[in-house]
Amino acid sequence: MSTGQGGVGLVVVSHSATVAQAVARLAAQLTGSAEDVRIEAAGGTEDGGLGTSADLVVRAAHAVDQGAGVAILADLGSAVLTVKALLADGEELPERSALVDAPLVEGTIAAAVAASAGADLEGVRAAAAEAYDYHKQ
């Protein structure tokens, strides 16, 4: 169960704003957690281009932070590197922010389900990581 004041928040980081928004919306719709779990998209650059914006990631993380932790899911290389750099800096992201090693779509949905059930940050991370085990054949 959650150990903070609120539940674990989720941030979806993608090189594309469209992809990040779609994954965040899909997770909220499939889990029915739009009101229970805060999920923000941080996709693309601030001018609407493809890429990753550290400022967008930071703003999204603070928007979903309720005190129980922020699970950040990312798609491609530089999105992951941006999140890792922010975590290494240690000053811009909320306390208890963590990069989650999981496939973006399946992991975000699993994380949202776990967060909506009251899992703590480690439980959310574990649920998302289990998405690697969902084989399609």
Side-chain angles (χ1 to χ4, degrees):
M1 297 301 291
S2 174
T3 57
Q5 298 173 352
V8 174
L10 307 178
V11 176
V12 180
V13 181
S14 172
H15 281 66
S16 163
T18 302
V19 170
Q21 291 164 357
V23 171
R25 190 170 34 252
L26 177 65
Q29 290 172 338
L30 289 177
T31 61
S33 62
E35 295 177 15
D36 298 334
V37 179
R38 292 183 182 172
I39 305 173
E40 286 286 328
T45 60
E46 293 199 55
D47 63 359
L50 294 176
T52 306
S53 164
D55 290 338
L56 289 177
V57 174
V58 169
R59 283 198 297 265
H62 284 282
V64 301
D65 182 31
Q66 301 176 81
V70 177
I72 304 172
L73 296 102
D75 62 357
L76 304 173
S78 66
V80 173
L81 293 175
T82 298
V83 174
K84 284 183 174 180
L86 288 168
L87 290 169
D89 176 49
E91 295 183 7
E92 295 190 65
L93 293 173
E95 270 189 64
R96 304 191 50 171
S97 294
L99 176 63
V100 175
D101 184 15
L104 188 67
V105 176
E106 294 90 340
T108 300
I109 292 166
V113 169
S116 70
D120 63 12
L121 182 58
E122 282 308 311
V124 168
R125 289 176 80 169
E130 286 179 11
Y132 277 127
D133 296 331
Y134 300 155
H135 299 284
K136 296 173 176 105
Q137 284 192 332

